């Protein structure tokens, strides 16, 4: 496999990262608070690390993003915007195993 070729799982995980960035942009526009901005910074760093094929960063970042949003739902409650909130819970939960598998398969 050449350096430019990537397994399909890496493209799925990259799509999940891009979707998380888009979700945080929507939340930033709707809420105008610092939380989505922090999420944007996190996922921008993960995209930058992704270019270096550091899949572990995506696993850890996905776990962190999922934990933050679960705590947010438990402590504050469900958002007035249920679709982006659901995506902020589902996408990191999907990112973690996909990025882990991409890194595992990429290391073989």
């Amino acid at each position: 496999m050449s350096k430019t070729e990537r397994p399909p799982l890496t493209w799925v995980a990259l799509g999940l990262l891009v979707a998380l960035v888009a979700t945080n942009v929507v939340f930033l526009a709707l809420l105008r608070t610092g939380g989505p901005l922090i999420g944007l910074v996190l996922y921008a760093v993960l995209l930058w690390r992704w270019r270096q094929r550091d899949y572990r960063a995506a696993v850890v970042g996905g776990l962190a993003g999922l934990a933050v949003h679960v705590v947010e739902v438990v402590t504050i409650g469900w958002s007035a915007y249920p679709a982006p909130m659901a995506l902020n819970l589902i996408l990191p939960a999907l990112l973690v195993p996909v990025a882990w598998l991409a890194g595992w398969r990429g290391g073989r």
Side-chain angles (χ1 to χ4, degrees), residues 13-61:
L14 183 61
L16 290 169
L17 277 171
V18 170
L20 280 163
V21 168
T23 302
N24 278 277
V25 167
V26 168
F27 251 135
L28 185 61
L30 292 172
L31 301 177
R32 295 186 184 114
T33 62
L37 189 58
I38 293 168
L40 280 174
V41 171
L42 169 69
Y43 296 122
V45 168
L46 293 181
L47 284 170
W48 178 72
R49 296 294 300 171
W50 193 264
R51 291 185 63 216
Q52 300 171 351
R53 296 180 190 248
D54 183 4
Y55 305 119
R56 292 175 303 198
V59 172
V60 173

Side-chain angles (χ1 to χ4, degrees), residues 51-101:
R51 291 185 63 216
Q52 300 171 351
R53 296 180 190 248
D54 183 4
Y55 305 119
R56 292 175 303 198
V59 172
V60 173
L63 286 171
L66 179 61
V68 164
H69 292 294
V70 166
V71 168
E72 180 182 17
V73 168
V74 169
T75 58
I76 298 172
W78 200 254
S79 170
Y81 306 101
M85 186 64 148
L87 287 173
N88 272 338
L89 289 168
I90 294 168
L91 293 173
L94 293 174
L95 175 64
V96 171
V98 170
W100 181 80
L101 283 171

